[in-house]
């Protein structure tokens, strides 16, 4: 694969091979109950980032199972007297039989995701985030 290539790649093996040639790692860039998107980012010849992605669509039975396991987590924090809201979809990292344990796990994961993605923008941290909703995705309805 050419180092100037950018965009979607034909398969996970091709992405892994390209990443190995570039000396970079493949990571999960995005995931939901229907698919997982893998990504590798490498510096291009002119110094700009070259991004290669592969979206893996999951079989329907697996997608439905993941939907049933997915939670919607709503968090908020104060930013100079204003309220800043964040919502994340999370599949429990460990499949627990107890709903309460799963709800606790997804809350921790969601707070960590928000901090990693938004701390520089709005100051969100695990310590200043407050949970306002944890619901199974299959039952969630926007307000």
């Amino acid at each position: 694969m050419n180092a100037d290539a950018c965009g979607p790649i034909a398969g996970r093996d091709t992405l892994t091979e390209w990443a190995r040639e570039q000396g970079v790692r493949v990571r999960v860039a995005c995931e939901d109950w229907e698919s997982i998107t893998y990504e590798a980012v490498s510096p291009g010849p002119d110094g700009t980032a070259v991004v290669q992605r592969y979206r893996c669509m999951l079989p329907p039975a697996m997608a439905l199972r993941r939907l049933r396991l997915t939670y919607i987590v709503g968090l908020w924090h104060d930013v100079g007297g204003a309220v800043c809201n964040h919502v994340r979809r999370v599949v429990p990292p460990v499949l627990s039989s107890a709903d309460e344990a799963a709800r606790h796990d997804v809350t921790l994961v969601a707070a960590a995701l928000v901090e990693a993605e938004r701390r520089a923008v709005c100051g969100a941290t695990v310590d200043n985030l407050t949970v306002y909703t944890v619901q199974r995705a299959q039952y969630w309805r926007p307000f």
Side-chain angles (χ1 to χ4, degrees):
M1 170 128 320
N2 174 334
D4 296 331
C6 185
I9 279 191
R12 175 93 193 267
D13 292 339
T14 307
L15 177 62
T16 302
E17 180 183 325
W18 180 84
R20 191 175 305 122
E21 289 171 3
Q22 303 303 311
V24 297
R25 299 179 83 177
V26 174
R27 69 177 193 92
V28 174
C30 178
E31 94 178 89
D32 57 27
W33 50 81
E34 296 177 311
S35 67
I36 300 172
T37 301
Y38 299 96
E39 172 182 87
V41 181
S42 174
D46 61 355
T48 61
V50 176
V51 179
Q52 293 287 355
R53 290 189 182 108
Y54 170 65
R55 184 173 184 213
C56 174
M57 295 301 295
L58 300 172
M62 184 182 289
L64 287 173
R65 181 171 182 264
R66 285 174 61 96
L67 172 60
R68 285 192 296 272
L69 295 172
T70 300
Y71 286 83
I72 304 297
V73 181
L75 306 125
W76 70 274
H77 63 102
D78 179 67
V79 181
V83 174
C84 186
N85 292 291
H86 303 275
V87 177
R88 295 294 181 275
R89 290 179 300 201
V90 181
V91 177
V94 177
L95 302 180
S96 171
S97 59
D99 187 56
E100 199 55 42
R103 294 167 75 80
H104 177 264
D105 292 348
V106 297
T107 298
L108 294 175
V109 171
L113 287 170
V114 169
E115 179 172 345
E117 296 166 1
R118 305 297 296 174
R119 184 177 190 159
V121 177
C122 64
T125 66
V126 171
D127 294 328
N128 70 10
L129 288 164
T130 301
V131 176
Y132 67 85
T133 190
V134 179
Q135 297 181 35
R136 291 216 181 246
Q138 66 186 19
Y139 304 123
W140 183 80
R141 297 290 177 254
F143 298 107

